[in-house]
């Protein structure tokens, strides 16, 4: 089998690139290890920056997002008994974010790929890139007893943090930077009215909490928990009780609780692999970099990779111009590191660090005091939260 571009991973990065390239006449195949139900069962991102939303529209996948997604012009930070609002629009020159779940983004991308006859292979086992440092790369995968070979011009590694693509780059070529945080986020999705129309990030002595939402009838809440905790340790009643303890009293009094329809723990990690290109293999999204979810940057950083890669591939196919491909890794990483910095800063500002001294705790509180006393500091927060330009 042959495709111009073979994409490993059918998450949002891989599907978005496939869809954008298809609309420009470039032939792609997407190889996904899991079933579609499994991919759509994962509950992850909820906040999309406007650049991501624009890319969805360009991919002709923005219709439902524009109809059902909510535009948010601000969010709250609860700290020291106060509830301060970050006015994104005011501090970022009128920008906003879209609250629309990654699950729905992925569903819309799958629907578009199906509508246009896109090739998406699910349950592809043992996906392996070969000879990516040559002019004739290929990818193999197993479907039952059959081994299928796909010859291609380029291989895109969009297979997430645990994928095979990054691992196929020789150790001596790749440099990895990592920080693992000593806690995770326990997330609950519930069919209840959200406690607030806008997100609330809560810094509390017992640990961080986040009130988010998917719609006005679907809530998403998170609690900072130790890495040793398991989902079984958190029956619904314990989750709601702990969430109430961490929210300001007035907010806790409004909280509507109900049965969880999804509950999972995500460890927090910062990670970057450099470079994001090896020969004809290009990494994109979580395959190359991870951020803690505090700044809502992960999926949005994946989108900027896809933007650069899409334009670089189109320049290659339409004009024989490889300058975009050559610049890809450097350009993508420059933006990735800014998202790393922002996510790290917000994580450090809002979480409880078990090994911090009183001195560090006072500094942390001062960060927030400074933030809400300075329009310049709020401007910096807002421009990063809505997304730096691609
Ligand atoms: P993935 O979504 O991981 O997709 C990769 C795909 O590759 C998967 O479907 C996987 O099954 C497949 N795969 C893996 N290995 C192989 C293989 N060997 N062969 C074939 N296929 C393979 N980001 C934001 O921007 N905003 C937010 O609000 C936000 N909130 C988050 C909340 C939580 C709790 C978490 C965990 C993450 C959040 N993120 C957020 C981050 C965001 O979810 C990720 O950055 C995003 O999923 C990255 O997309 P991706 O397509 O690059 O990778
Ligand atoms: C979410 O709704 O899942 C969400 C929102 C904001 C974040 C992280 C996760 O920073």
């Amino acid at each position: 089998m042959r495709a111009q571009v073979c994409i490993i991973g059918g998450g949002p990065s891989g599907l978005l690139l496939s869809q954008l390239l298809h609309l420009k006449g470039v032939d792609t195949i997407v190889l996904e290890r899991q079933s579609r139900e499994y991919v759509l069962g994962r509950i992850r991102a909820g906040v999309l920056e406007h650049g991501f939303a624009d890319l969805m529209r360009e991919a002709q996948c923005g219709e439902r997002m524009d109809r059902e997604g909510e535009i948010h012009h601000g969010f709250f930070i609860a700290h020291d008994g106060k509830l301060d609002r970050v006015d994104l629009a005011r501090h970022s020159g009128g920008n906003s974010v879209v609250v629309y779940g990654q699950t729905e983004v992925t569903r819309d991308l799958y629907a578009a790929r199906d509508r246009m006859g896109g090739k998406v292979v699910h349950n592809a086992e043992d996906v392996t890139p070969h000879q990516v440092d040559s002019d004739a790369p290929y990818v193999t995968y197993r479907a039952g007893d059959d081994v299928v070979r796909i010859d291609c011009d380029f291989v895109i590694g969009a297979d997430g943090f645990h994928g095979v693509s990054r691992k196929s780059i020789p150790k001596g070529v790749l440099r990895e930077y990592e920080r693992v945080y000593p806690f995770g986020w326990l997330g609950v999705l519930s069919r209840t009215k959200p406690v607030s129309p806008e997100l609330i990030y809560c810094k509390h002595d017992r640990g961080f909490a986040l009130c988010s939402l998917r719609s006005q009838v679907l809530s998403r809440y998170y609690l900072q928990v130790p890495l040793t905790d398991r989902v079984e340790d958190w029956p619904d009643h314990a989750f709601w009780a702990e969430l109430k303890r961490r929210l300001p009293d007035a907010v806790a009094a409004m909280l509507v609780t109900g049965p969880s329809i999804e509950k999972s723990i995500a460890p927090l990690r910062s990670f970057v692999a450099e470079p994001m290109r090896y020969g004809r293999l290009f990494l994109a999204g979580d395959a190359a970099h991870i951020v803690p979810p505090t700044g809502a940057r992960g999926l949005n950083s994946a989108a900027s990779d896809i933007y650069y890669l899409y334009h670089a591939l189109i320049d290659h196919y339409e004009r024989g111009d490889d300058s975009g491909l050559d610049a890809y890794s450097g350009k993508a990483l420059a933006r990735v590191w800014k998202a790393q910095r922002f996510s790290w800063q917000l994580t450090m500002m809002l979480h409880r660090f078990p090994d911090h001294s009183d001195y560090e705790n006072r500094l942390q509180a001062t960060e927030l005091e400074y933030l809400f006393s300075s329009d310049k500091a709020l401007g910096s927060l807002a421009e990063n939260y809505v997304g730096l330009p691609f």
Side-chain angles (χ1 to χ4, degrees):
M1 210 191 291
R2 200 187 140 74
Q4 286 170 297
V5 178
C6 180
I7 300 173
I8 305 178
S13 304
L15 293 169
L16 181 58
L17 183 64
S18 167
Q19 177 67 7
L20 287 164
L21 290 176
H22 175 101
L23 293 173
K24 294 283 187 183
V26 177
D27 170 39
T28 67
I29 184 165
V30 176
L31 303 178
E32 167 58 49
R33 181 169 59 181
Q34 305 287 357
S35 68
R36 187 170 295 199
E37 296 67 43
Y38 183 94
V39 175
L40 291 175
R42 289 191 296 230
I43 307 295
R44 288 185 175 173
V47 174
L48 312 177
E49 64 187 42
H50 56 99
F52 183 97
D54 286 344
L55 216 46
M56 285 291 283
R57 292 181 194 112
E58 187 168 346
Q60 297 180 9
C61 294
E63 200 195 306
R64 197 162 69 97
M65 175 190 76
D66 284 331
R67 207 174 52 244
E68 296 178 13
E70 290 185 13
I71 309 275
H72 282 214
H73 297 287
F75 63 85
F76 293 96
I77 296 183
H79 63 107
D80 307 302
K82 285 178 279 191
L83 192 60
D84 279 320
R85 182 164 186 268
V86 178
D87 187 333
L88 290 173
R90 174 170 165 233
H91 292 292
S92 73
N95 280 326
S96 55
V97 291
V98 181
V99 170
Y100 188 66
Q102 177 171 336
T103 312
E104 303 315 314
V105 166
T106 312
R107 201 187 302 282
D108 294 345
L109 288 166
Y110 274 136
R113 296 288 48 231
D114 289 350
R115 214 167 44 238
M116 296 182 188
K119 282 174 264 168
V120 181
V121 178
H122 281 281
N123 304 308
E125 292 174 59
D126 299 338
V127 176
T128 313
H130 302 269
Q131 295 182 14
V132 291
D133 54 345
S134 78
D135 285 343
Y138 63 97
V139 178
T140 55
Y141 70 94
R142 208 162 48 73
D145 292 335
D146 297 332
V147 174
V148 183
R149 170 176 168 148
I150 297 152
D151 291 283
C152 53
D153 302 330
F154 300 103
V155 179
I156 309 301
D159 47 353
F161 182 67
H162 298 288
V164 67
S165 303
R166 187 182 70 252
K167 290 175 195 144
S168 73
I169 301 178
K171 278 273 170 273
V173 173
L174 211 60
R175 173 130 192 225
E176 297 185 341
Y177 302 81
E178 185 171 42
R179 166 156 205 182
V180 177
Y181 298 84
F183 41 75
W185 277 18
L186 167 67
V188 156
L189 189 69
S190 71
R191 232 177 276 293
T192 49
K193 184 175 158 48
V195 71
S196 159
E198 291 185 338
L199 274 71
I200 307 179
Y201 291 80
C202 305
K203 175 180 176 285
H204 193 275
D205 290 346
R206 297 180 65 88
F208 171 80
L210 171 61
C211 306
S212 183
L213 61 152
R214 293 290 176 272
S215 71
Q216 285 309 313
V217 290
L218 200 55
S219 301
R220 181 71 167 161
Y221 296 105
Y222 295 98
L223 288 177
Q224 174 186 352
V225 293
L227 279 176
T228 43
D229 279 16
R230 291 166 323 146
V231 169
E232 299 74 60
D233 301 329
W234 286 94
D236 287 357
H237 66 86
F239 180 88
W240 294 120
E242 183 59 25
L243 181 60
K244 278 187 182 171
R245 279 186 209 111
R246 297 188 192 183
L247 300 180
D249 291 345
V251 178
M254 306 279 289
L255 184 70
V256 181
T257 63
S260 61
I261 50 178
E262 194 269 354
K263 197 185 281 166
S264 50
I265 295 183
L268 265 61
R269 183 195 300 273
S270 297
F271 175 87
V272 182
E274 294 185 346
M276 287 171 61
R277 173 191 189 171
Y278 176 61
R280 285 177 172 254
L281 169 66
F282 292 81
L283 300 179
D286 278 17
H289 42 81
I290 297 275
V291 283
T294 327
R297 293 301 78 209
L299 181 56
N300 292 310
S301 297
S304 62
D305 294 351
I306 297 305
Y307 176 89
Y308 298 134
L309 205 44
Y310 158 56
H311 285 283
L313 287 165
I314 295 305
D315 286 350
H316 168 85
Y317 283 113
E318 288 186 351
R319 300 208 300 272
D321 175 359
D322 282 355
S323 58
L325 290 174
D326 292 339
Y328 169 69
S329 179
K331 219 168 166 180
L333 282 165
R335 194 175 188 277
V336 159
W337 274 109
K338 293 188 187 101
Q340 290 283 327
R341 185 200 70 83
F342 177 65
S343 306
W344 169 81
Q345 185 188 37
L346 222 56
T347 302
M348 297 302 289
M349 188 166 78
L350 296 174
H351 288 76
R352 182 179 170 275
F353 285 80
D355 58 348
H356 271 189
S357 63
D358 286 351
Y359 177 80
E360 286 159 316
N361 290 336
R362 277 297 284 119
L363 276 187
Q364 195 188 30
T366 307
E367 278 284 331
L368 277 161
E369 275 168 37
Y370 169 62
L371 175 68
F372 287 107
S373 70
S374 159
D375 273 3
K376 290 205 173 77
L378 281 166
S380 167
L381 177 76
E383 77 164 347
N384 279 278
Y385 194 88
V386 298
L388 296 172
F390 286 170

